[in-house]
Amino acid sequence: MSTTNRVPVDVIGIGLHPFGRFEDRTVTEMGVAAVRAALHDAGIDSSDRPGFQAAFCGTAYSGVAAGHKVLGALARTGMPIVDVEAGCASGGAALMLAASAIRAGQYDTVLVFGMEKMPRGIIRSSFFEPWREHAGLAATPAYFALRAQRLMRERGLTKEHLAQVVVKNRSHGVLNPDAMYQSETSVDAVLATRVVCEPLHLHMLCSPNEGAAAVVLRRGTGSSGAVRLEAAVLRSHLPGSVLGEATPLAGIDDSDITPPSTLAADAAYAEAGIGPEDVDVVECQDTDAARELLGWEELGLCVPGDQARILASGDANLGGARPINPSGGLLSKGEPLGASALGQVVELVRQLRSTAGARQVHGARVALAHTVGRGANASVTILTH
Amino acid sequence: MSTTNRVPVDVIGIGLHPFGRFEDRTVTEMGVAAVRAALHDAGIDSSDRPGFQAAFCGTAYSGVAAGHKVLGALARTGMPIVDVEAGCASGGAALMLAASAIRAGQYDTVLVFGMEKMPRGIIRSSFFEPWREHAGLAATPAYFALRAQRLMRERGLTKEHLAQVVVKNRSHGVLNPDAMYQSETSVDAVLATRVVCEPLHLHMLCSPNEGAAAVVLRRGTGSSGAVRLEAAVLRSHLPGSVLGEATPLAGIDDSDITPPSTLAADAAYAEAGIGPEDVDVVECQDTDAARELLGWEELGLCVPGDQARILASGDANLGGARPINPSGGLLSKGEPLGASALGQVVELVRQLRSTAGARQVHGARVALAHTVGRGANASVTILTH
Amino acid sequence: MTPDAQTQPVVDGVFADDPARLLGARCELCEQTSFPRLDGCPYCGSETITPVELSDHGALWGWTTVLHAPPGYLGSVPYGFGIVELPEGVRVVTRLAVPEDWWSFGQPMHLGTAEVGVDPDGVVLTTWEFSP
Amino acid sequence: MTPDAQTQPVVDGVFADDPARLLGARCELCEQTSFPRLDGCPYCGSETITPVELSDHGALWGWTTVLHAPPGYLGSVPYGFGIVELPEGVRVVTRLAVPEDWWSFGQPMHLGTAEVGVDPDGVVLTTWEFSP
Ligand SMILES: [Zn+2]
Ligand SMILES: [Zn+2]
């Protein structure tokens, strides 16, 4: 499917530690579980040690040497181990580095994993200066609320549309045993949860939580039958973009400034030699319900302003023309920062392998994953089978 | 000098924010200063924006989106920005990733920077579990002391030898206007400073502090005249290594286990097509005075046990056969974790350009930088001119 | 409000009071106005910027109400939070004086200062805010 | 020392008291002993490990004295700190009962437990230590 003669990169193993709350487990233990599962899935056993030539670990809050502790417990060290932080896109950044190194001929097999154990409630981000905290300007969900309000104003959306996103994703999460919330909801029920920050109600926001995900990449052969990683792209915000992703800085009119998600998507489509119309299934960043709807247009999945129609049509639901967040999204799974991007990849590999069980998107051949977060990092990954 | 037909990588710009204590400066401001200086040195001005296609930022304690804040302030964003953590080797890891990406043909020009603003006194590392802290097992300098004691026992070294390392490095630091300590000392004076942990006295330990360093890499041409990056290697500890770098885990006999610094050095020498005997000038990790002496043998710069003789000979001093830590080392500069590896590279580029002023190593053609730290990451960088 | 020994701005160099003004910068190269003031232009990277006091009025561009105290916050809840666009073309993240939901897009807003809370040393901290 | 409602080990699953023993594991594949006990072998990666209680004695392999309380430490200073090599071939980072400098390499050491300090809830925490 590529347009150039690039070294192919296969996803030969996936592993997941469920996302949720696990009081008695350390972040290292969750990482070990996910990495073990991915190595097992890849057919790398203890006779093949370490079994990969480099490892990238995405995490934001796990402290120094986080990846080393996981691989130390597994006796798989010695190679370069790099811990990578790119906010919500940390796992996407790790994947990008791993894929690039394989395409460069530097390594044959690379382990990529991500993990997080977030404190309960609102994340105390190290992003903000102390004076902004003191003055009340470090009010993270308020930034999400302002972004949601803007999207509603500019695209003619209502709170009911936001609630419909939650209903859609939670209806998928019911089918995902690895999700934190596995129950249906309704528009009325979502709107009945308390207001966190107008226009966002509690169930329109994902919960920071805990979990881990891992992926093993290998230089591909022509006929491995494995899922192929066509593109793994990371981009950051352009100078001047305001509220692109909760930036607390003042800014200028951004109507002519391309958002980082679009920069990443355009580069990924070009690398994979496809367009958004070729994508069969999507996992996209739904930190809040409006963030998902913004993502649809930033990724070229819909014309700006077409979100309400698509929601009504059911096209983005399981069984629809192109399901979005079949895993249930972060709204069902919660968001363990460093693990979330790779959790999406695990879901999409399952979809492409046709092993997604009750939430299988039938005939899925092309899949796209998207994250965007703090520092306005955006990652877009494209997989095919 | 390379043995293979690799894509050459040049160091076309260097920049440094002095290492020390700067109460009124944020870590972002220090990063901005170093990056600006490096871009200016590389001839990248504001008409050439961003002027590079990717950026890697090494830091351990600067919080989320640390690199983005620096590049946001400089209006040089949009490209992939990845924050990298590998303990004391964070900057070395960033350099490795940048060099690999250029060799892969992924980018022409990459910015690498590192920065830190460490709290005063003993670092409260996020490395240790809380119970180890409670029980007094997270006593960082005690691990350094045990390593020093072991080296003294196994190599016949005394406290006087450790003090001689401090005297050497501080005599170099006098000549470095970017160092925190710019004063001579003596063996007696070092031994008169208070004991922190037997056998280490206060002045045998480097101070965690603040600073930033930046380097611009570019795909090389045959005849640029720039300093060339021959190798930038990162390795981690092998399973079973005990006290390799302050690991709090119990361990087994490690006499047959190659330490990560040697793994990295051997790979770097092979990549550069040279041996330790070809190196003219070295910057190596001197977290404490014994750590430097251990590094000498791990890097193949001396036969194990020959440290006392080399110290006596003056070979490792400025003016000697192969000066080690001409910048004054961390013992003179202090250690801003994310910045320290790139600070070494800045020093060595100055040496190879013959712009190191009063501390110039005359005729230096081949230079080696080494860091090793938490998680037992070790990085080795080889530069030539 | 007049600062005395017990009252301090929450941050230096970002706003002035008496009269209340935000302290920004104007870039001589790309002519954009930026806030807060950095030592260069965040839109074009130029180091040639001129410190300016920004207009004390603007148009409301976004608003919400913060109901739960965010981490590190020293004041009381609820409080208004939003974005005001100044005539210079710069959008400022700000507290809003009234935490109500009767705002409308584009409505005129004026700058003032307010006490935000008391720090651990007993000092009353002030910040800027916009009111209708 | 007998634990009561006011006394607790500083961590569960790492050591036992009465009698004092360190809780390790032995790998069935590579036959190495590891400590603390993980859910696999940190030397070969095997998941087939057997929980074992380690010997309560060993040989001193390294020692120093901690003079200044490290971050998070609940006890008093100075205290002894070092490495003891057990007959199983595993080196254990440990507190040493006497913070003196009269140790010698390889000298016999015995395991015990000691009170390390009091946590914020008033609970006395215990840990293991080695004595000559
Ligand atoms: Zn400008
Ligand atoms: Zn084993």
Side-chain angles (χ1 to χ4, degrees):
Chain A
M1 186 158 282
S2 299
T3 51
T4 54
N5 264 337
R6 293 178 312 146
V7 173
V9 176
D10 287 344
V11 182
I12 61 162
I14 55 173
L16 195 79
H17 182 287
F19 293 3
R21 283 283 166 198
F22 308 94
E23 301 293 346
D24 57 343
R25 308 212 75 185
T26 65
V27 71
T28 302
E29 289 167 338
M30 292 189 281
V32 164
V35 169
R36 249 196 206 130
L39 293 174
H40 184 261
D41 186 45
I44 296 173
D45 62 23
S46 66
S47 68
D48 185 15
R49 264 201 308 139
F52 42 89
Q53 298 94 47
F56 294 91
C57 171
T59 186
Y61 293 99
S62 301
V64 300
H68 301 74
K69 291 180 186 174
V70 170
L71 295 179
L74 290 165
R76 295 184 188 269
T77 54
M79 82 296 294
I81 304 172
V82 183
D83 291 352
V84 166
E85 193 277 311
C88 302
S90 296
L95 199 73
M96 181 271 282
L97 293 171
S100 303
I102 292 174
R103 288 202 213 286
Q106 201 178 359
Y107 312 116
D108 277 323
T109 308
V110 178
L111 172 70
V112 189
F113 60 113
M115 60 199 186
E116 214 73 66
K117 190 177 178 77
M118 304 294 297
R120 278 179 187 280
I122 295 168
I123 301 170
R124 178 158 201 168
S125 175
S126 47
F127 186 72
F128 293 105
E129 298 152 278
W131 73 265
R132 289 190 184 269
E133 293 192 331
H134 299 335
L137 297 179
T140 299
Y143 289 95
F144 300 161
L146 294 174
R147 185 177 58 206
Q149 183 191 51
R150 180 192 191 176
L151 186 75
M152 290 163 68
R153 181 174 72 237
E154 295 183 349
R155 300 291 181 254
L157 297 169
T158 66
K159 278 191 182 190
E160 282 69 24
H161 294 120
L162 303 190
Q164 286 170 25
V165 174
V166 184
V167 172
K168 168 178 77 72
N169 289 2
R170 292 279 294 274
S171 77
H172 300 167
V174 170
L175 308 174
N176 184 356
D178 293 320
M180 181 159 77
Y181 299 116
Q182 299 176 31
S183 59
E184 302 259 5
T185 189
S186 67
V187 167
D188 286 349
V190 172
L191 295 176
T193 60
R194 69 175 168 81
V195 170
V196 173
C197 259
E198 274 297 343
L200 296 177
H201 290 243
L202 185 63
H203 282 191
M204 295 176 187
L205 285 151
C206 81
S207 305
N209 66 352
E210 309 172 17
V215 165
V216 182
L217 302 183
R218 183 169 286 172
R219 176 202 297 260
T221 56
S223 56
S224 69
V227 169
R228 182 143 296 174
L229 179 64
E230 298 285 353
V233 172
L234 181 75
R235 288 292 183 272
S236 56
H237 70 90
L238 287 168
S241 80
V242 59
L243 284 183
E245 181 64 25
T247 166
L249 297 174
I252 55 176
D253 179 20
D254 62 345
S255 38
D256 290 333
I257 298 174
T258 309
S261 295
T262 304
L263 294 176
D266 288 350
Y269 290 134
E271 224 176 280
I274 65 163
E277 65 282 0
D278 298 313
V279 176
D280 300 316
V281 55
V282 174
E283 289 274 308
C284 82
Q285 180 89 27
D286 57 338
T287 318
D288 62 80
R291 174 68 263 184
E292 172 167 334
L293 296 178
L294 179 58
W296 293 6
E297 58 177 69
E298 288 179 338
L299 299 170
L301 301 173
C302 83
V303 174
D306 210 25
Q307 286 94 335
R309 189 196 60 76
I310 292 173
L311 281 170
S313 72
D315 282 354
N317 288 60
L318 273 174
R322 175 166 57 198
I324 297 181
N325 283 324
S327 71
L330 304 181
L331 289 168
S332 299
K333 292 184 293 189
E335 187 181 23
L337 220 59
S340 65
L342 297 172
Q344 294 178 331
V345 172
V346 168
E347 171 69 15
L348 294 178
V349 170
R350 287 173 174 165
Q351 293 288 350
L352 294 173
R353 287 177 176 176
S354 292
T355 60
R359 61 186 192 286
Q360 181 64 47
V361 176
H362 295 288
R365 305 288 304 276
V366 180
L368 180 146
H370 162 247
T371 63
V372 59
R374 203 67 90 182
N377 282 292
S379 73
V380 171
T381 303
I382 295 176
L383 300 156
T384 61
H385 198 211
Chain B
M1 187 158 280
S2 298
T3 50
T4 55
N5 265 336
R6 294 178 312 146
V7 173
V9 176
D10 287 343
V11 181
I12 62 162
I14 55 173
L16 194 79
H17 182 287
F19 293 4
R21 284 282 167 201
F22 307 95
E23 300 293 347
D24 58 342
R25 308 212 76 184
T26 65
V27 69
T28 302
E29 289 168 337
M30 292 189 281
V32 164
V35 170
R36 248 195 207 132
L39 294 173
H40 184 261
D41 186 45
I44 295 172
D45 63 22
S46 65
S47 68
D48 185 14
R49 263 202 308 140
F52 43 89
Q53 298 95 47
F56 294 91
C57 171
T59 187
Y61 293 98
S62 301
V64 301
H68 301 74
K69 291 180 187 174
V70 170
L71 295 179
L74 290 165
R76 296 183 188 269
T77 54
M79 82 296 295
I81 304 173
V82 183
D83 292 351
V84 166
E85 193 276 311
C88 302
S90 295
L95 199 73
M96 182 271 282
L97 293 170
S100 304
I102 291 174
R103 288 202 212 286
Q106 202 178 359
Y107 311 116
D108 276 323
T109 308
V110 178
L111 172 70
V112 189
F113 60 112
M115 60 201 186
E116 213 72 67
K117 189 176 178 78
M118 305 295 295
R120 277 179 188 279
I122 295 170
I123 302 170
R124 178 158 199 166
S125 175
S126 46
F127 186 72
F128 294 105
E129 298 151 279
W131 72 266
R132 288 189 184 270
E133 292 193 330
H134 299 335
L137 297 180
T140 298
Y143 289 96
F144 301 161
L146 294 174
R147 186 178 57 207
Q149 182 191 52
R150 180 190 192 178
L151 186 75
M152 290 163 68
R153 182 175 69 238
E154 296 184 349
R155 301 293 181 252
L157 297 169
T158 65
K159 278 192 182 188
E160 281 68 25
H161 293 119
L162 303 189
Q164 286 170 26
V165 173
V166 185
V167 172
K168 168 179 77 73
N169 289 2
R170 291 281 294 275
S171 77
H172 300 167
V174 170
L175 308 174
N176 185 354
D178 293 321
M180 181 158 77
Y181 299 116
Q182 298 175 33
S183 58
E184 303 259 5
T185 188
S186 66
V187 167
D188 286 348
V190 172
L191 294 178
T193 61
R194 68 175 169 83
V195 170
V196 174
C197 260
E198 277 293 345
L200 297 177
H201 289 243
L202 185 62
H203 283 191
M204 295 176 187
L205 285 152
C206 80
S207 305
N209 66 351
E210 309 173 16
V215 165
V216 182
L217 300 184
R218 183 169 285 171
R219 176 202 298 259
T221 56
S223 55
S224 69
V227 168
R228 182 144 294 173
L229 180 63
E230 298 285 351
V233 173
L234 181 76
R235 288 292 183 272
S236 57
H237 70 91
L238 287 168
S241 80
V242 58
L243 285 182
E245 183 64 23
T247 166
L249 298 174
I252 55 175
D253 179 19
D254 62 347
S255 38
D256 291 332
I257 299 173
T258 309
S261 295
T262 303
L263 294 175
D266 288 350
Y269 290 134
E271 224 176 279
I274 64 163
E277 65 284 359
D278 298 313
V279 176
D280 300 316
V281 55
V282 174
E283 289 275 308
C284 82
Q285 180 90 28
D286 57 338
T287 318
D288 62 79
R291 175 67 263 186
E292 173 168 335
L293 295 179
L294 179 58
W296 293 6
E297 60 178 68
E298 288 179 338
L299 300 169
L301 301 173
C302 82
V303 174
D306 210 25
Q307 286 94 337
R309 190 196 60 76
I310 293 173
L311 281 169
S313 73
D315 283 353
N317 288 61
L318 273 174
R322 175 165 58 198
I324 297 181
N325 283 323
S327 70
L330 305 180
L331 289 168
S332 299
K333 291 184 293 189
E335 187 181 23
L337 220 59
S340 65
L342 297 171
Q344 294 178 331
V345 172
V346 167
E347 171 70 14
L348 294 178
V349 170
R350 287 173 174 165
Q351 293 288 351
L352 294 173
R353 287 177 175 176
S354 292
T355 59
R359 62 187 190 285
Q360 181 64 46
V361 176
H362 296 288
R365 305 289 305 275
V366 180
L368 180 147
H370 162 248
T371 63
V372 58
R374 202 67 91 181
N377 281 293
S379 73
V380 170
T381 303
I382 295 176
L383 301 156
T384 60
H385 197 211
Chain C
M1 177 184 318
T2 309
D4 58 33
Q6 299 286 73
T7 301
Q8 264 179 26
V10 71
V11 58
D12 290 327
V14 174
F15 67 99
D17 50 17
D18 199 17
R21 298 299 284 266
L22 299 177
L23 306 178
R26 186 172 164 80
C27 177
E28 296 183 14
L29 189 64
C30 76
E31 303 190 338
Q32 293 285 5
T33 300
S34 57
F35 170 81
R37 196 179 285 166
L38 305 173
D39 65 350
C41 172
Y43 303 117
C44 78
S46 163
E47 291 171 52
T48 315
I49 55 166
T50 307
V52 290
E53 292 199 349
L54 305 184
S55 301
D56 62 359
H57 61 277
L60 188 63
W61 192 82
W63 62 92
T64 188
T65 301
V66 178
L67 300 169
H68 303 274
Y73 177 52
L74 296 176
S76 59
V77 289
Y79 64 94
F81 184 89
I83 310 270
V84 170
E85 187 168 62
L86 303 183
E88 291 88 344
V90 60
R91 295 172 188 161
V92 174
V93 173
T94 182
R95 290 170 66 95
L96 301 175
V98 193
E100 298 295 333
D101 299 333
W102 45 265
W103 305 105
S104 66
F105 183 72
Q107 81 172 75
M109 303 293 286
H110 271 84
L111 184 70
T113 59
E115 296 182 355
V116 64
V118 182
D119 78 7
D121 298 330
V123 176
V124 175
L125 296 178
T126 62
T127 186
W128 80 88
E129 64 175 13
F130 278 90
S131 316
Chain D
M1 177 186 318
T2 310
D4 58 33
Q6 300 286 73
T7 301
Q8 264 180 27
V10 70
V11 59
D12 289 328
V14 175
F15 67 99
D17 50 17
D18 200 15
R21 297 300 283 265
L22 298 177
L23 306 177
R26 186 172 163 79
C27 177
E28 296 183 14
L29 190 64
C30 77
E31 305 191 336
Q32 293 285 5
T33 300
S34 57
F35 171 80
R37 196 179 286 165
L38 305 172
D39 65 351
C41 172
Y43 303 116
C44 77
S46 164
E47 292 171 52
T48 315
I49 55 167
T50 307
V52 289
E53 292 198 349
L54 305 184
S55 301
D56 63 359
H57 60 278
L60 188 64
W61 192 81
W63 63 92
T64 187
T65 301
V66 178
L67 300 169
H68 302 275
Y73 177 53
L74 298 176
S76 59
V77 287
Y79 63 96
F81 183 90
I83 309 272
V84 170
E85 188 168 62
L86 303 183
E88 291 88 344
V90 61
R91 295 172 188 161
V92 174
V93 174
T94 183
R95 290 169 65 93
L96 300 176
V98 193
E100 298 295 331
D101 298 333
W102 46 265
W103 305 106
S104 65
F105 184 71
Q107 80 171 76
M109 303 292 288
H110 271 85
L111 184 70
T113 59
E115 296 182 354
V116 65
V118 182
D119 78 7
D121 299 330
V123 177
V124 175
L125 297 178
T126 62
T127 186
W128 80 87
E129 65 175 12
F130 278 90
S131 316

